[in-house]
Amino acid sequence: MNNRLRVLRAERAWSQQELADRLDVSRQSVNAIETGKYDPSLPLAFRIADVFGLAIEEIFLRD
Amino acid sequence: MNNRLRVLRAERAWSQQELADRLDVSRQSVNAIETGKYDPSLPLAFRIADVFGLAIEEIFLRD
DNA sequence: CTATGATGTAAAGTGACCTTGTCTTACCAG
DNA sequence: CTGGTAAGACAAGGTCACTTTACATCATAG
């Protein structure tokens, strides 16, 4: 399960902390997802999609 | 996090066991997701979307 | 140099997710 | 009616996603 989180965040010039606040999770969680330590829960994946205004399939990719 | 799993499965006349086999999880997991006991992991959500040929957003709904 | 912001990593705890096992109900053959 | 099987629910246990807390590195500003 690959994801384009880092790129999308860079496009908006957000820090991990800034994204974490918008998602209402810890900064470390954002970092862990970006570095591929684990996948987000489905509800969090939806919130991520909402924050970026994209579909889940446009952010998370089947590897 | 609401989902249309039961309806989609009924449309195809699949038992919980049949769907579970296609998803490579236990029959109980399918049941638990249908009855709203919990949400599937993101990878499983993708497999569910693949099995039904739909987007995740068409199966799982923000409540 | 000191301070601050951005990112990465680690250890420990909680609860979500998934399993195995058991149960009920319904249906059909004999 | 009885035995067998299929479908769906429920319970208890284990693994891991996710959180918190804490500490470390590097860059840049003052």
Side-chain angles (χ1 to χ4, degrees):
Chain A
M1 195 93 273
N2 219 349
N3 75 70
R4 309 201 309 121
L5 217 57
R6 175 149 308 190
V7 176
L8 295 170
R9 187 171 61 79
E11 285 175 2
R12 286 154 185 79
W14 291 344
S15 67
Q16 291 182 345
Q17 180 66 64
E18 213 166 333
L19 176 56
D21 290 342
R22 292 173 191 264
L23 295 172
D24 198 34
V25 295
S26 71
R27 176 181 64 82
Q28 285 81 348
S29 290
V30 169
N31 181 64
I33 294 168
E34 278 193 6
T35 57
K37 286 195 74 173
Y38 52 74
D39 296 318
S41 67
L42 189 57
L44 179 52
F46 266 92
R47 272 183 282 152
I48 293 173
D50 288 343
V51 160
F52 288 114
L54 295 171
I56 289 183
E57 280 87 353
E58 295 174 309
I59 302 176
F60 299 93
L61 312 169
R62 302 161 181 77
D63 34 24
Chain B
M1 197 92 274
N2 219 349
N3 74 71
R4 309 201 309 119
L5 216 57
R6 177 150 306 189
V7 176
L8 295 170
R9 188 170 58 80
E11 284 175 3
R12 287 156 183 77
W14 292 343
S15 68
Q16 292 182 342
Q17 180 67 63
E18 213 165 334
L19 176 55
D21 289 342
R22 292 174 191 264
L23 295 173
D24 199 35
V25 295
S26 70
R27 177 173 56 86
Q28 285 81 348
S29 290
V30 170
N31 181 63
I33 294 168
E34 279 193 6
T35 57
K37 286 194 74 173
Y38 54 74
D39 296 317
S41 66
L42 190 56
L44 179 51
F46 266 92
R47 271 182 282 153
I48 293 173
D50 288 342
V51 160
F52 288 115
L54 295 170
I56 289 184
E57 280 86 354
E58 295 174 308
I59 302 176
F60 299 93
L61 312 169
R62 301 160 181 78
D63 33 25

